[in-house]
Amino acid sequence: MRADLQNTIAEIEKSLVLLGQRMDWETADHRLEEFNARVEDPDLWNDAAKAQKLMRDRQMLVDAMSMHKSIQQELTDTVELIELGEMEGDEEVVAEAEEGLIALALKAAEKELEALLNGEADSNDTFLEVHSGAGGTESCDWASMLARMYVRWAEKRGYNVEMQSETSGEEAGIKSVTYKVTGMNAYGWLKSESGVHRLVRISPFDSAAKRHTSFCSVWIYPVVDDNIEVEVNPADIRIDTYRSSGAGGQHVNTTDSAVRITHHPTGIVVTSSEKSQHQNRDIAMKALKSRLYQMELDRRNAAINEAHESKGDAGWGNQIRSYVLQPYQMVKDLRTGHETSDTKGVLDGDLDAFMAATLAQDVSGKSRAEATAEGG
């Protein structure tokens, strides 16, 4: 068998080792038996929330076990088909099996990345905020570029994106924007994007065509679903209504329908500027609960906590990623070292490689290399 095919097989086997480790393959059958026994308990649904969590956990284990067995079986069958085709000199069979092997390697790599999304809220929808830093028009324009980048990324993954609020820049771009991104593992994928993003380019707003450096902050926090309880003391918040500012025309608000909620103990401020004041109260309260929940996640998760503790001014020393458009083309993540010269692709939403690198670095437990070594 050719060396390149052997390398592909080795990559699939490495993915299987990591997948097995993530689900604790050695105890999976025993845990499934325990789940099944608890599901048959006639008193299970006396506590609906607990029962639903149990059913979700059981299904996640079933799906993980099924996926692992499926990849393993497909690998075995494909390798046998290649070996049989080579023995009989059937080049057509070998070529078809090789295509299947390559497709399987891509599938295994994708499932390997998904296995890293095993945090408490990773499967949740998420809120995404972009805020311009110091620098006026330059920074506001950079904020609009970042917002577009994330919207494009989400749309490519089939996620739904809803704008919750937006504040326009005085001359161009945006000062801030908040989106709700809906889709499986939306928070798990996007959580690694929290931090300060730095842009270096020839300014389109500078008649002298000088290079400018701009900063924006991006913050991600999970949408709190019905299964996560967050208590908010009414005495701790102030709710203000105001007239939403827009571009004018037929869609501009003519009543004080926009809502701002300030949480005094933490200083968190959330806003929503849809047409309905009742809807805005609901959206803003959900956003507040999500922010408070994110703070709790930060306290529990050392890796995320370290990233959020650096949330200071959007400027030097706080950045997680640099986007250089002049004098050369490069996007580099300062946490993982991952970089690419395809700046256009990144700004058009090609972010998966950056997210995957951060997930692989931050995930708790053993590294892939350690898992591979243990698996032989």
Side-chain angles (χ1 to χ4, degrees):
M1 188 179 298
R2 298 199 316 266
D4 60 330
L5 294 180
Q6 292 177 346
N7 290 337
T8 301
I9 293 170
E11 285 299 311
I12 297 173
E13 290 173 339
K14 289 177 183 177
S15 293
L16 284 169
V17 168
L18 180 59
L19 290 169
Q21 183 191 60
R22 295 281 175 243
M23 76 173 78
D24 193 4
W25 182 257
E26 293 181 357
T27 68
D29 287 328
H30 176 67
R31 283 182 288 127
L32 182 57
E33 290 177 2
E34 290 182 340
F35 274 130
N36 291 337
R38 293 170 65 186
V39 166
E40 293 172 2
D41 184 349
D43 296 328
L44 172 65
W45 288 95
N46 290 344
D47 186 335
K50 185 177 180 180
Q52 290 172 355
K53 183 179 186 305
L54 175 66
M55 297 300 289
R56 284 197 306 272
D57 291 345
R58 178 188 178 278
Q59 191 59 50
M60 287 177 62
L61 178 59
V62 169
D63 291 345
M65 293 175 66
S66 176
M67 178 268 300
H68 190 279
K69 291 177 180 177
S70 172
I71 293 176
Q72 182 65 71
Q73 187 60 55
E74 191 173 346
L75 175 61
T76 300
D77 293 345
T78 304
V79 170
E80 289 179 352
L81 189 59
I82 291 175
E83 291 175 344
L84 181 62
E86 289 177 341
M87 287 176 58
E88 297 182 353
D90 192 331
E91 295 182 2
E92 185 175 342
V93 168
V94 172
E96 183 177 344
E98 289 176 356
E99 290 181 4
L101 190 65
I102 294 172
L104 181 61
L106 294 174
K107 176 183 177 182
E110 179 181 355
K111 296 301 180 183
E112 178 186 333
L113 286 177
E114 289 179 2
L116 299 177
L117 303 176
N118 58 1
E120 182 177 5
D122 280 354
S123 62
N124 288 31
D125 302 332
T126 191
F127 290 110
L128 182 154
E129 294 182 1
V130 179
H131 298 274
S132 63
T137 301
E138 282 290 335
S139 182
C140 289
D141 189 54
W142 175 220
S144 67
M145 292 168 65
L146 278 175
R148 174 186 177 276
M149 179 182 76
Y150 287 117
V151 169
R152 293 293 298 273
W153 172 85
E155 290 174 347
K156 287 179 180 180
R157 296 192 70 87
Y159 290 163
N160 184 53
V161 181
E162 301 174 64
M163 182 186 292
Q164 305 292 294
S165 64
E166 181 184 73
T167 302
S168 299
E170 294 179 1
E171 297 181 22
I174 55 176
K175 289 183 178 179
S176 66
V177 65
T178 301
Y179 296 108
K180 179 182 178 183
V181 182
T182 304
M184 186 63 182
N185 291 327
Y187 172 70
W189 281 114
L190 279 167
K191 67 182 181 183
S192 64
E193 294 300 295
S194 280
V196 176
H197 298 244
R198 168 179 174 255
L199 172 70
V200 179
R201 65 170 176 173
I202 301 295
S203 171
F205 305 101
D206 186 343
S207 58
K210 294 181 178 179
R211 267 198 305 161
H212 284 248
T213 299
S214 306
F215 298 93
C216 287
S217 61
V218 174
W219 303 110
I220 310 295
Y221 44 98
V223 174
V224 178
D225 59 28
D226 294 335
N227 300 304
I228 300 175
E229 295 184 5
V230 176
E231 294 291 337
V232 177
N233 186 344
D236 289 341
I237 62 175
R238 185 181 76 242
I239 301 178
D240 299 310
T241 57
Y242 61 98
R243 184 165 298 180
S244 175
S245 62
Q250 61 178 339
H251 298 299
V252 70
N253 285 326
T254 57
T255 61
D256 294 342
S257 62
V259 170
R260 178 191 300 112
I261 298 180
T262 303
H263 187 251
H264 297 301
T266 61
I268 292 173
V269 179
V270 292
T271 62
S272 180
S273 53
E274 298 294 326
K275 292 183 179 180
S276 163
Q277 186 177 119
H278 177 76
Q279 181 184 19
N280 285 331
R281 284 176 177 264
D282 183 57
I283 291 173
M285 184 58 71
K286 286 182 178 178
L288 173 60
K289 289 183 176 181
S290 293
R291 292 283 293 273
L292 293 173
Y293 180 64
Q294 177 67 51
M295 291 179 69
E296 176 60 24
L297 285 182
D298 289 348
R299 282 190 284 269
R300 295 187 221 166
N301 188 314
I304 297 178
N305 189 43
E306 182 180 350
H308 280 258
E309 283 178 348
S310 68
K311 181 179 177 179
D313 294 334
W316 292 104
N318 297 317
Q319 64 266 24
I320 63 167
R321 190 176 300 149
S322 289
Y323 305 71
V324 181
L325 306 187
Q326 278 99 14
Y328 52 88
Q329 304 273 313
M330 183 189 71
V331 180
K332 181 173 182 177
D333 195 288
L334 305 181
R335 300 162 298 178
T336 64
H338 182 78
E339 63 181 69
T340 179
S341 60
D342 183 16
T343 55
K344 183 178 184 303
V346 171
L347 293 174
D348 279 337
D350 293 341
L351 295 168
D352 284 0
F354 286 95
M355 295 177 180
T358 308
L359 282 169
Q361 173 176 282
D362 290 347
V363 69
S364 59
K366 300 171 185 175
S367 67
R368 174 176 172 143
E370 290 171 324
T372 303
E374 284 192 3

